[in-house]
Amino acid sequence: MNYAKSRIWTELDFEKDGKQVGYLHLPHSVDRSGAGTIAIPCAVFRNGAGPSSLLMAGNHGDEYEGQVALTRLIRDLEADDIKGRIIVVPAINLPAAMAGTRISPIDDRNLNRCFPGNPNGTPTEQIAYYVEAVLAPMCESWLDLHSGGASMAFMPYAQIILSRDEALNKRALAALEAFGAPLSLIQGFSDEPNMSNSAAVRNNVIHFGTEAGGSGTVNPDGVKLAYDGTLRSLVHLGHLSPRNRRIPIPPAPKKVRWIEIASRDYYVYAPQAGLFEPMVKLGDTVKKGQLYGHVHFVDDPMRLPAEVKFKASGLVVCMRHPGRCERGDCLGHLATDIKR
Ligand code: CA
């Protein structure tokens, strides 16, 4: 595709061999800094010809596990360790990451609903545009590390979202297998055009990632999954040799549990505003019709709590984290096993 020029500039040279750690500069003129920029950290590792991959976290600013894993990777990795080119952006929506919020505090936009972005739009739209029009076209693979953020807690897993492109699906599935998460989710195809997975498909780039924890905290198991899985992926993608001398490649788990979210019925939504008290825990297996919990009305003590039941059977892989809910808030979702 031919794209208009992005306003984001960088001193990084994506074609140069070596390790460069610098910034993507998004012009942002504010009271404090009339000619200022938002400086989004970015590292480029290049060692000769070979594949190109984009590793990204902080698409949502309050999803921390991938941000920790990729900043560590930038410190650990040297250009000599790899073949080809690896672009690492550990906090792509930097204003959101610095605020610890899902969406940007500057423009109230959710980066993962902004693709393909706009070269002259709001800061978040410009970031989306830069990723879609500049970074993704340089690469064949895109790892996008997500988590539950402040409002959700996930059993850490890795995932792909299927597209209509069977050849890309096959390559993405191979990358997901190589990532080696003990719990791995294959999501049915999505037509949401504004998410990063669609941006990848538009660029003929494979897209895979994680839901590595959440609850507004840093889940150590999620960080380990994100870091170890990233290294295993770099081997699979042809960047790292499994016999390299400096970076030990963590062994993949012996057994992988493959899951999917088969339909909307596996999601649970709050029927009323109130205080949600769950009766199950993350990782529980539940049955259709089973009580998930109660929405309490603490301002009306004699009013009976509303019952919330599961509409399907499955594994509880995601639960809402905050106690208070509004009608329509997602209270969590299930996944079910698939044969592979
Ligand atoms: Ca996310």
Side-chain angles (χ1 to χ4, degrees), residues 16-337:
K16 197 171 106 182
D17 274 351
K19 172 177 179 175
Q20 305 167 70
V21 183
Y23 293 92
L24 312 171
H25 299 276
L26 165 55
H28 189 55
S29 179
V30 290
D31 289 342
R32 194 197 75 247
S33 184
T37 70
I38 297 166
I40 301 167
C42 179
V44 184
F45 300 85
R46 186 159 184 144
N47 188 8
S52 281
S53 299
L54 172 61
L55 313 181
M56 190 173 105
N59 183 335
H60 292 132
D62 62 351
E63 301 178 5
Y64 301 131
E65 290 81 356
Q67 299 179 39
V68 174
L70 291 190
T71 47
R72 178 180 161 198
L73 184 74
I74 290 173
R75 295 190 301 276
D76 287 355
L77 204 61
E78 299 298 336
D80 287 344
D81 299 324
I82 70 144
K83 276 202 187 97
R85 173 172 58 190
I86 304 171
I87 302 168
V88 190
V89 194
I92 182 67
N93 200 356
L94 188 77
M98 291 293 101
T101 52
R102 179 175 181 82
I103 65 177
S104 173
I106 295 177
D107 55 14
D108 282 340
R109 297 298 306 274
N110 176 340
L111 175 61
N112 214 29
R113 302 294 183 276
C114 276
F115 292 97
N118 177 349
N120 300 305
T122 69
T124 307
E125 290 170 344
Q126 290 192 49
I127 292 169
Y129 186 81
Y130 188 82
V131 174
E132 171 137 4
V134 179
L135 296 181
M138 286 194 272
C139 299
E140 299 90 45
S141 306
W142 177 351
L143 177 66
D144 193 5
L145 297 170
H146 285 250
S147 171
S151 76
M152 294 177 286
F154 279 92
M155 290 180 76
Y157 60 74
Q159 69 173 353
I160 58 170
I161 301 172
L162 298 177
S163 71
R164 293 175 187 279
D165 186 326
E166 283 305 324
L168 270 186
N169 288 343
K170 208 172 155 194
R171 284 172 48 214
L173 184 56
L176 180 66
E177 278 179 322
F179 191 93
L183 193 62
S184 292
L185 184 136
I186 302 174
Q187 182 61 2
F189 88 81
S190 148
D191 270 340
E192 166 60 75
N194 303 120
M195 288 171 59
S196 57
N197 55 295
S198 296
V201 172
R202 286 191 287 272
N203 278 291
N204 197 35
V205 170
I206 64 163
H207 186 275
F208 60 118
T210 55
E211 294 294 359
S215 311
T217 68
V218 180
N219 178 328
D221 294 338
V223 174
K224 181 169 167 42
L225 173 68
Y227 186 84
D228 291 357
T230 299
L231 289 182
R232 288 188 288 263
S233 309
L234 292 179
V235 171
H236 168 76
L237 296 171
H239 292 295
L240 263 178
S241 163
R243 287 171 299 282
N244 87 84
R245 283 160 188 246
R246 245 178 38 80
I247 310 269
I249 307 298
K254 290 197 171 61
K255 199 167 163 37
V256 174
R257 184 170 182 182
W258 292 92
I259 53 172
E260 67 173 355
I261 306 166
S263 77
R264 186 57 70 193
D265 285 346
Y266 292 84
Y267 286 79
V268 183
Y269 294 91
Q272 316 250 2
L275 186 55
F276 180 61
E277 177 201 15
M279 308 303 284
V280 306
K281 292 202 172 83
L282 209 55
D284 282 357
T285 299
V286 299
K287 290 255 179 292
K288 181 178 175 174
Q290 185 176 331
L291 185 67
Y292 181 13
H294 292 103
V295 177
H296 294 276
F297 309 104
V298 294
D299 56 341
D300 189 0
M302 288 302 287
R303 184 175 169 193
L304 284 178
E307 289 190 334
V308 182
K309 293 180 174 174
F310 292 105
K311 287 190 288 179
S313 302
L315 174 69
V316 181
V317 292
C318 173
M319 287 176 67
R320 177 173 174 80
H321 182 62
R324 296 290 312 178
C325 60
E326 299 286 323
R327 180 184 291 117
D329 280 344
C330 180
L331 296 177
H333 65 78
L334 308 174
T336 49
D337 293 301

